[in-house]
Each structure stands twice: as structure tokens, then as C-alpha cells.
Amino acid sequence: MRRIAVLTSGGDAPGMNAAIRAVVRYSIYKGLQIFGIERGYKGLIEGDLKEMLIPSVGDIIHRGGTMLRSARCLEFMEEEGKKRALNILDVFKIDGLVVIGGDGTFRGAKTLCDAGFPVIGVPGTIDNDLAYTDYTIGFDTALNTVLDAVSKLRDTTSSHERVSIIEVMGRNCGDIALYTGLGGGAEEILVPETKHDIDNICKKILLSANRGKTQSIIMVAEGVGSANDICAQIHEKTGLDVRATILGHIQRGGSPTAKDRILASQFAAHAVQCLLDGKSSRVVGIRENKIMDMDITEALDMKSKFNESMYELTKILSI
């Protein structure tokens, strides 16, 4: 293992730059030559690689996004695209690859692994939807971004005695809604992992209003459906002033929290060490506060377990 490369793929997440920095500096410290691949698998297919030096990653640990940029690449999903990627890696004499991203990124990495090329995955996604690891890079920062927005919305919701429906990201995983709902004191949390009854929600809002509560916050994970549709249903049934706010891509941006910077650095260093130890087809993660790695196929096959106890706690505390 003399030359390795790093790329970021899929949706950007705060902390990706911290991970890139750690991959580069840990590699150089260990005597490796390190290359950065621009724009994910698209850049790999196009041969958009550049050597990274210590100064290349200076002043980025606190920056959101990814300095290597990211792009979707349908061509990589085709057999010809995969062959071209392997050819590019051979041309640049790359011995191993670290990929930073989510589920789609890892599935792309697995195709390279299946072809015999050493790849280690680092989980970078705000969705926290990779079942094998307790946390992914970017999740904590996204939570803090959402909580800041919830606090601001609660001010105006209270002033106007409204019901505020807040839609957050997460695809088919409700973790962002669940964690921010608990942390932000939401009255209701709607997530894809559980069913909801709009009539029960309306009843709870009305009972709260009858005992003097002037506002309600309802967190909605995007996998449940449109916040605007839920807003319209609640207004039609209750006649209350209901407003929807879709936070969108602001959840992806911003300076990463200390937790995301530290996790990213630990994950990245562990990934490089895996390559140095002769490991391949592995993904890095954290379980019970310990950095670990496991087989990529096993990791992708794992089913997410919804945190039922946390969800029940939100129900109790929102009475």
C-alpha cells in the first residue's frame, strides 16, 4: 500500500472536510502518497485526481460541505463505467480507496470491492440511516441546525398562537425528526417508522389549546409525506392557524459541531489504518462509543432499528 485516494459522494454533510483532512494527514504521516478525487465517482471515471499535500487540507476542519465536491454519477452504475473507474485507478497506480458518503456511496464502493479493489467506507450523511453505526458524520450538526430553526419558529408561533408543522430531511429514516422533536419539545413527531392518526393529533392540539397552550410544534420527517398536506388537513379539521415550514437543504450546511469533527477525524484515520493493515471491503463506524469496522456487505444488509424508547419518551413529555 503506497498510494491511496479519497473521494466524497452523494449528499454533502458537515464534517466531510474534517474527514478528508484526517485521511490526507494520517496517510502522509504513515508514509503514503494520497490523491483526492474531485466530484465523487464522476470525477473518478473522468480521471479528475490530484495529489494532496499537508497544506492542501489546511483551514478546512471547520468548514461545511466538501472541498472535493460531490456529484451524482449514473454512468458509474453501468458496467462500462465501473470498468473505466478501475482503469483510472490502475493508471494512477492507486492501491486503495477511502470513500466518504452514505448508502448509495457504499453500494458504489461495493462494486469496486467485488472487482477485487481495496475500498474502505466512511459514513458521511446527515440522515443517520446506516444501521451498522450509531452515528454518521453530519448528523449532529444537522440536529443543531434544526433545533436552532425550531427555537426561532417557536417564538413566532407563540406570538401568533399557531400550530407549526416543520418538515426535516432524512429520506426514509426518522432520526432527525425524532431527535430534534425530543430536543425541541415538539408536541408531535411524525416519522416513517410509525403510523400516525391525524384525528388523534388534532384532538391533542385542541385539548392543549383548551387548557391555555398558545402554540404547538409538530416535527415531520420527509419520508412521512408533505408538511403542506399535513398542514392543510389539520387546518381543515380544527380551523386553527397552521403554518408549514420546510427546512430543506439548510440542514446540510454550516460549520460542523465538535462531535462531527471528532468522529470524522477518528473514522478517517481508522479507514486509512484498515488499508495499511491489509483490510478491504470494510466500513467504519461507531458502536457503544467505540470506533469499529465491519464487512461492507453485512453492513448494507443490516436493517435499521427505530429507537422506540426515545419515541415513547417524546409522547410522555409532550402531554
Side-chain angles (χ1 to χ4, degrees):
M1 193 66 60
R2 295 181 178 180
R3 287 185 171 193
I4 69 170
V6 58
L7 64 79
T8 52
S9 179
D12 63 301
M16 279 186 165
N17 277 330
I20 295 167
R21 172 182 179 272
V23 168
V24 170
R25 295 196 171 183
Y26 192 85
S27 297
I28 293 172
Y29 178 80
K30 290 290 185 175
L32 299 173
Q33 195 173 7
I34 175 74
F35 287 78
I37 302 172
E38 298 276 358
R39 295 171 291 113
Y41 293 118
K42 180 176 175 61
L44 175 57
I45 287 175
E46 296 174 356
D48 195 358
L49 284 74
K50 62 181 181 184
E51 185 175 2
M52 306 285 281
L53 304 173
I54 291 175
S56 303
V57 291
D59 198 35
I60 68 167
I61 193 170
H62 62 291
R63 300 184 186 279
T66 163
M67 65 169 294
L68 291 176
R69 296 176 289 174
S70 185
R72 307 292 181 184
C73 185
L74 296 177
E75 190 177 359
F76 182 73
M77 305 308 294
E78 304 296 329
E79 194 61 35
E80 186 60 35
K82 295 168 191 171
K83 288 180 180 179
R84 192 179 306 169
L86 289 167
N87 287 337
I88 293 295
L89 290 167
D90 184 56
V91 166
F92 279 85
K93 295 181 170 54
I94 302 299
D95 301 313
L97 180 64
V98 175
V99 300
I100 306 167
D103 181 83
T105 300
F106 285 1
R107 294 190 184 280
K110 185 179 180 301
T111 64
L112 297 177
C113 295
D114 291 344
F117 192 84
V119 185
I120 305 294
V122 172
T125 166
I126 68 167
D127 299 335
N128 205 44
D129 60 349
L130 295 170
Y132 79 93
T133 180
D134 292 340
Y135 295 104
T136 58
I137 298 169
F139 177 60
D140 188 65
T141 306
L143 294 183
N144 282 276
T145 298
V146 173
L147 281 174
D148 182 62
V150 170
S151 295
K152 289 179 169 64
L153 283 165
R154 189 178 287 280
D155 291 342
T156 188
T157 300
S158 297
S159 299
H160 293 274
E161 300 182 289
R162 287 174 177 156
V163 176
S164 213
I165 315 292
I166 304 173
E167 182 182 314
V168 296
M169 299 175 82
R171 297 199 304 173
N172 293 318
C173 176
D175 277 10
I176 294 178
L178 176 61
Y179 281 68
T180 57
L182 178 58
E187 280 65 44
E188 285 287 342
I189 302 170
L190 310 188
V191 292
E193 293 88 348
T194 64
K195 294 181 179 180
H196 67 272
D197 186 321
I198 199 70
D199 289 334
N200 284 338
I201 293 171
C202 291
K203 180 181 178 181
K204 184 174 182 179
I205 292 170
L206 290 171
L207 288 173
S208 296
N210 289 339
R211 69 169 189 261
K213 192 163 189 177
T214 59
Q215 51 79 33
S216 292
I217 298 285
I218 299 175
M219 302 300 300
V220 178
E222 64 179 348
V224 170
S226 167
N228 287 314
D229 291 343
I230 295 168
C231 179
Q233 292 175 48
I234 293 175
H235 173 71
E236 182 181 358
K237 289 177 177 290
T238 66
L240 295 172
D241 186 3
V242 190
R243 301 294 176 92
T245 301
I246 301 172
L247 295 183
H249 285 84
I250 70 163
Q251 295 162 85
R252 289 198 185 281
S255 181
T257 60
K259 181 172 183 176
D260 275 330
R261 297 183 200 190
I262 293 165
L263 272 184
S265 300
Q266 292 176 310
F267 284 171
H270 191 92
V272 175
Q273 191 60 50
C274 281
L275 289 174
L276 288 169
D277 291 342
K279 293 182 179 181
S280 179
S281 305
R282 310 287 289 180
V283 288
V284 176
I286 184 169
R287 281 188 187 168
E288 298 178 351
N289 211 32
K290 293 182 179 179
I291 306 300
M292 43 72 75
D293 59 86
M294 69 181 299
D295 178 77
I296 191 170
T297 301
E298 184 182 345
L300 288 171
D301 286 343
M302 287 183 68
K303 302 299 182 184
S304 294
K305 293 182 180 179
F306 184 62
N307 195 330
E308 294 284 354
S309 62
M310 184 181 290
Y311 185 69
E312 288 305 313
L313 179 60
T314 67
K315 296 285 190 182
I316 294 169
L317 299 184
S318 64
I319 59 173

